[in-house]
């Protein structure tokens, strides 16, 4: 799935679009997904991650090494 965060696991949510006459049609709430490149000093290489903006702020707080460890613990390949 393309709209999917590698760190937090955020995925699209689904619901209804409700018109003025109150007719309901399907809609999709996509997370704000960005592609970001980080330098992994321990491995001597860059990694490109697909992250939500909340996850980017989390990486700023905990560091890229801890974030990559969390991603790998979730079973995703980095």
């Amino acid at each position: 799935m393309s709209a999917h965060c590698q760190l937090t696991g955020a995925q699209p949510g689904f619901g209804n679009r409700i018109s003025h006459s109150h007719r309901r049609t399907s809609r999709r709430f996509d997370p704000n997904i960005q592609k970001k490149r980080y330098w992994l000093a321990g491995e001597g290489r860059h990694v490109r991650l697909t992250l939500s903006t909340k996850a980017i702020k989390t990486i700023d707080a905990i560091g890229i090494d801890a974030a990559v460890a969390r991603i790998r613990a979730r079973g995703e390949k980095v």
Side-chain angles (χ1 to χ4, degrees):
M1 189 177 254
S2 60
H4 157 258
C5 177
Q6 289 182 296
L7 181 61
T8 62
Q11 295 177 347
F14 294 90
N16 289 313
R17 185 177 279 117
I18 302 180
S19 69
H20 180 68
S21 65
H22 220 64
R23 288 183 61 133
R24 293 162 191 244
T25 54
S26 294
R27 66 160 294 175
R28 179 172 147 151
F29 295 91
D30 284 329
N32 188 358
I33 299 292
Q34 311 290 323
K35 286 190 177 171
K36 193 120 165 80
R37 192 176 136 191
Y38 289 99
W39 173 252
L40 277 182
E43 298 181 17
R45 67 183 182 107
H46 284 98
V47 291
R48 188 175 303 274
L49 301 174
T50 305
L51 302 167
S52 63
T53 50
K54 180 182 176 183
I56 292 172
K57 292 175 190 173
T58 302
I59 290 176
D60 290 343
I62 67 172
I64 186 63
D65 294 322
V68 167
R70 284 189 191 179
I71 292 170
R72 288 182 174 146
R74 288 186 67 234
E76 294 217 21
K77 189 175 171 187
V78 177

